[in-house]
Amino acid sequence: MRNDQLITAKQLSRGDIEDVLDRAAEFDADPSAFRDRHADAILGLLFFEPSTRTKMSFETAIKRIGGDTVDMGTVESSSVKKGESLADTARVIEGYADALVLRHPSQGAAKMVGEFVDVPLLNAGDGAGHHPTQTLLDLYTIRENAGLDDLTIGIMGDLKYGRTVHSLAHALTNFDADQHFVSPESLQLPRSVRYDLHESGAMVREHTELDDILPSLDVLYVTRIQRERFPDENEYQEIAGEYGIDLETLEPAKDDLTVMHPLPRVDEIAPEVDDTDYATYFEQAHNGVPVRMALLDQMLEDGQ
């Protein structure tokens, strides 16, 4: 796979991750210092699924390094509605842009598009597959709050359909991180993800309850139960509302526990947690800008 395409977190070595995070820290410290770094660069946005944080942070990131965006708009307002293929859409917008960002509901869509385009490509989420740019901002947030080595992290919620979880778990195998996965049995990690983690030398520790491991955690990464990923509405209703946390839940936790969430949340984290030192999920969302500035900077350099 080309080094100007980021399709899956499995591409990332420890060195790759640290390079991006170090560059992101520079952008974070003084964003205005880089406002002309990629003057006139155009980023093509191909979002086939709804997005708030990912799309807006990419738009902000490219503008803060001197560029701008072209946007295919919603599926309903684009030529996709007329039957245009994903490959053709990507090849058309490639002609207008210096780099592309793709979000698509089908797992493997970004890899397929990567075979048709010559400009840098960033996967912004492909179905229940991977979301590597989210992973990098997650790692940046973890590094800023708890460090990435000698780390004990609990990842809780929808581990079956949660692409942010799949990417993060893979990336953490590059560090001295003890990972615990908490979910109902019906939403445990897919077999393919467990296999890949084992192949990377990671110990996969699965739990159905948070209580047993909460006191040992440095980071608790909470995910929502993703209604849109469920093929069966009844299956969703049986699970919805489980595995939420509030202040009572967190009483046994370390004082310096970092609570994260990729957002949007529904009812997984009670609003009363927002004003505590535990809460870092809004900081996490804000970190999407410097991290994506760093990624775009790197990709645009590599693509020249």
Side-chain angles (χ1 to χ4, degrees):
M1 197 172 293
R2 291 167 21 199
N3 62 5
D4 63 345
Q5 294 184 351
L6 181 56
I7 307 301
T8 169
K10 291 191 283 187
Q11 292 172 242
L12 298 168
S13 68
R14 180 176 181 133
D16 294 332
I17 293 167
E18 290 177 337
D19 284 347
V20 173
L21 301 193
D22 290 344
R23 192 180 300 217
E26 294 178 21
F27 286 121
D28 203 7
D30 187 7
S32 63
F34 305 95
R35 60 189 173 197
D36 297 319
R37 192 172 180 92
H38 292 282
D40 302 322
I42 299 296
L43 181 65
L45 302 176
L46 293 80
F47 278 71
F48 291 76
E49 282 187 318
S51 174
T52 301
R53 283 153 300 281
T54 300
K55 188 174 184 181
M56 292 187 71
S57 64
F58 266 117
E59 290 180 293
T60 304
I62 190 65
K63 290 176 180 179
R64 286 191 174 172
I65 57 175
D68 208 337
T69 62
V70 289
D71 186 349
M72 66 168 268
T74 64
V75 170
E76 289 72 19
S77 65
S78 74
S79 291
V80 175
K81 191 70 174 176
K82 303 174 184 177
E84 184 173 63
S85 70
L86 173 57
D88 282 0
T89 298
R91 283 186 287 192
V92 167
I93 298 178
E94 174 190 20
Y96 309 145
D98 301 295
L100 300 176
V101 178
L102 172 69
R103 169 169 288 187
H104 198 275
S106 297
Q107 189 169 340
K111 182 178 180 181
M112 185 275 288
V113 167
E115 296 174 358
F116 289 93
V117 299
D118 293 321
V119 297
L121 173 67
L122 292 162
N123 179 11
D126 60 335
H130 277 259
H131 196 347
T133 70
Q134 175 72 42
T135 290
L136 286 164
L137 74 89
D138 290 343
L139 293 173
Y140 185 80
T141 306
I142 294 170
R143 189 173 79 165
E144 292 293 298
N145 287 277
L148 286 168
D149 285 311
D150 193 23
L151 174 75
T152 302
I153 180 170
I155 303 176
M156 182 176 80
D158 181 355
L159 311 185
K160 180 178 181 180
Y161 299 109
R163 59 194 173 199
T164 62
V165 168
H166 304 162
S167 289
L168 180 60
H170 281 291
L172 284 170
T173 63
N174 290 290
F175 301 90
D176 178 19
D178 187 7
Q179 300 188 61
H180 295 266
F181 300 95
V182 185
S183 71
E185 290 185 3
S186 62
L187 292 179
Q188 288 180 338
L189 288 171
R191 182 178 300 175
S192 60
V193 175
R194 283 203 302 271
Y195 176 81
D196 285 344
L197 293 177
H198 282 304
E199 287 292 292
S200 299
M203 180 73 72
V204 178
R205 299 177 175 87
E206 294 184 289
H207 312 266
T208 56
E209 301 292 339
L210 176 63
D211 295 348
D212 293 342
I213 61 163
L214 179 59
S216 68
L217 298 182
D218 302 304
V219 174
L220 175 60
Y221 190 98
V222 183
T223 65
R224 71 185 173 92
I225 307 300
Q226 300 185 69
R227 186 175 198 159
E228 67 273 23
R229 305 288 178 209
F230 277 75
D232 184 342
E233 175 68 16
N234 291 330
E235 183 185 355
Y236 168 76
Q237 292 296 341
E238 289 176 3
I239 301 300
E242 291 190 28
Y243 297 89
I245 63 169
D246 54 23
L247 291 182
E248 183 178 354
T249 308
L250 294 174
E251 285 180 2
K254 294 180 180 179
D255 292 340
D256 60 352
L257 174 71
T258 296
V259 176
M260 300 175 63
H261 192 302
L263 301 178
R265 67 173 165 182
V266 182
D267 54 8
E268 311 84 51
I269 301 177
E272 63 188 22
V273 179
D274 297 355
D275 296 325
T276 69
D277 291 338
Y278 297 126
T280 59
Y281 26 90
F282 294 115
E283 171 193 341
Q284 181 183 351
H286 297 159
N287 287 339
V289 173
V291 169
R292 289 177 171 127
M293 288 172 71
L295 274 171
L296 289 170
D297 180 48
Q298 185 181 77
M299 291 289 181
L300 289 167
E301 284 180 355
D302 290 343
Q304 290 176 350

